[in-house]
Amino acid sequence: MMPSLQFLVPASYFIAAVLFIAGLKGMSSPVTARKGMIWAGIAMALAVLVTFFHPKVEGNYGLMVIALVSASVLAWWWAKVVAMTDMPQMIALYNGMGGGSAAAIAAVELLKLHSGQVEMVPTTLLVASFGAIIGSVAFSGSLIAYAKLQGWMRKSWRFPGQQLLNLLVIAATIGLGVWIMVDGPTPLLLALFFASALLAGILVTVPIGGADMPVVISLYNALTGLAVGFKGYVLEIPALMIAGIVVGAAGTVLTQLMAKAMNRSLGNVLFAGFGKADEDAAGLSAEGEMRSIDATDAAIQMAYAEKVIIVPGYGLAVAQAQHKIWELTELLTSRGVKVSFAIHPVAGRMPGHMNVLLAEAGVPYDLIFDLEDINAQFPNTDVALVLGANDVVNPAARKDRSSPIFGMPILDADRARNCIVVKRGQGTGFSGIENLLFFEDNTRMLYGDAQKVAQSLIAGIKALG
Amino acid sequence: MEGWIALYIFMLAAFTGIEVIRRVPAILHTPLMSGSNFIHGIVVVGGMVVLGMAETNTEIVVGFVAVFLGAGNAVGGYVVTDRMLEMFKSSGNRNEGDKS
């Protein structure tokens, strides 16, 4: 009974679509997240298997297997060996591959249209071309994002007339797309079309600074989703449409949430440099002086506290101090101190990245709190320990209208009874904005590398017996 | 496919995407981005279909690239997501090992 195959293929795609949505839904809690993803993974494997029996597939089975196996082995191996701190760029890389795949699908479809093997109504051609553009932009843009986060490229690259050039390239891409729509695709026209779309992705991404990269990666993730959805329409596979559009919509919301947490608008991220605002507005020059404390005194303060909140930032991850901090936390907890972690939405390199890094060190997620949940607790906290975080605890965001970060939600570490800031040196941080927290009366600076400081704090507490 | 039906699918899928993400706490934003990155790896299916239809050498090469990149997206996205989620443990179950 062979007609069952005609049923099996679309039925499997349907199941896959359901499990994908359920998998994303499971992400709303750390308890269900992993199980949901495992089911989504099974659905993906099933969808790939039945595609060998898709009615349109007529040959090249051997090549298909080679491409599937070689890519899977490479991607699996690379994803396994990469360090957790490098996760953001891995997401960018794999996302770029998805965008590239969508663009390549469009290329084959358009080539087939040229040779007359397939026919397309204008709507389908429009959707195919549009998918080709966003797929290509997501591909080249993500690769640039990868190169930047990996440190292979200068952080941002600007030159006069850049905005104009970008606009021209984008206009040229759309123009070529319209030409294809009107006159039909020729190989030369297609080559120019894809080259200019790829160039647009590169040019748009190149001037964007490292701090904004997470927002851009999230945006490209949404774009790839959209491109995949469009390909689903062209190839008449609803599962692709649904998975692509769900990701596209979710990715757009996520991008906006991230931009908001960084106090930027999306347009601002894409079309203005972060550096610009900072140069002409350094904000209030701080009054008062910074007072330092040594590790032994800090250890005593924390050991006899009732409640300690640790505010980790990316500097903590750079110093690889997460494990030491967890050891410190366990030590304090065994003395009866209540320890929690406060995470700013943009701590780490992207929202939630810090949570991943802490989880890797073994910190249970129920000790980790979001900004909204923990800010009210700072006034009853004896010690707030700020480690490698800077702008996200700068009270200038609340007090100083002229500061570039004014209005950004911050963690109110300055409202704790005592605040200890661990910092490598005396200068301003990453963004160059003066941090008013360092000059508060209840703040003490503890200079040193986060890893070594954590080590001496542990030693200090142990010495108390 | 009938245009209007496609438009309805797009619209409903978009609302689904927005609703699904709205409940996700900030601590899971990076895994979520990674998870949605994995899910658009379904594009590999489209790559297989076009490679299966490809006839000229150019079509075959580009189709091969489509499958290769799509498979990389799906597998890499999955492994990265799973590695992250594996590490999220509550203080209740952190010492229980692989009981679940």
Side-chain angles (χ1 to χ4, degrees), chain A residues 431-452:
Chain A
S431 65
I433 302 165
E434 194 79 77
N435 194 332
L436 301 185
L437 174 67
F438 302 167
F439 300 93
E440 298 278 341
D441 288 338
N442 53 348
T443 301
R444 294 291 177 276
M445 307 297 291
L446 181 48
Y447 294 110
D449 169 79
Q451 166 106 311
K452 294 207 182 87

Side-chain angles (χ1 to χ4, degrees), chain B residues 35-86:
Chain B
S36 58
N37 179 29
F38 155 67
I39 281 172
H40 65 52
I42 186 72
V43 72
V44 65
V45 164
M48 291 172 74
V49 171
V50 293
L51 179 57
M53 305 187 320
E55 279 162 18
T56 68
N57 285 338
T58 324
E59 287 170 12
I60 290 176
V61 170
V62 181
F64 185 85
V65 170
V67 178
F68 185 87
L69 291 178
N73 179 184
V75 172
Y78 181 80
V79 176
V80 165
T81 312
D82 192 57
R83 270 188 67 190
M84 282 189 217
L85 292 177
E86 189 185 13

Side-chain angles (χ1 to χ4, degrees), chain A residues 60 79-80 82 101 221 351 362, chain B residues 1 30 40 51 53 66 83 94:
Chain A
N60 299 327
K80 278 282 182 200
V82 75
S101 180
N221 189 39
Chain B
M1 189 181 308
T30 290
H40 65 52
L51 179 57
M53 305 187 320
R83 270 188 67 190
R94 50 175 283 110

Side-chain angles (χ1 to χ4, degrees), chain A residues 10 44 116 150 185 216 223 238 302 304 339 347 356 369 415 429:
Chain A
M44 184 75 78
Q150 194 72 8
V216 176
L223 283 184
M302 291 172 73
Y304 293 104
V339 185
V356 175
F369 297 92
R415 291 187 172 150

Side-chain angles (χ1 to χ4, degrees), chain A residues 292-308 332 335 337 381-385 416-421 441-446 457 460-461 464:
Chain A
S292 62
I293 187 172
D294 65 26
T296 323
D297 291 341
I300 293 173
Q301 227 175 48
M302 291 172 73
Y304 293 104
E306 232 168 81
K307 185 166 162 55
V308 171
L332 286 171
R335 295 183 62 100
V337 183
T381 299
D382 301 299
V383 181
L385 179 68
R417 289 186 198 114
N418 299 283
C419 181
I420 300 172
V421 178
D441 288 338
N442 53 348
T443 301
R444 294 291 177 276
M445 307 297 291
L446 181 48
L457 286 175
I461 294 170
L464 298 173

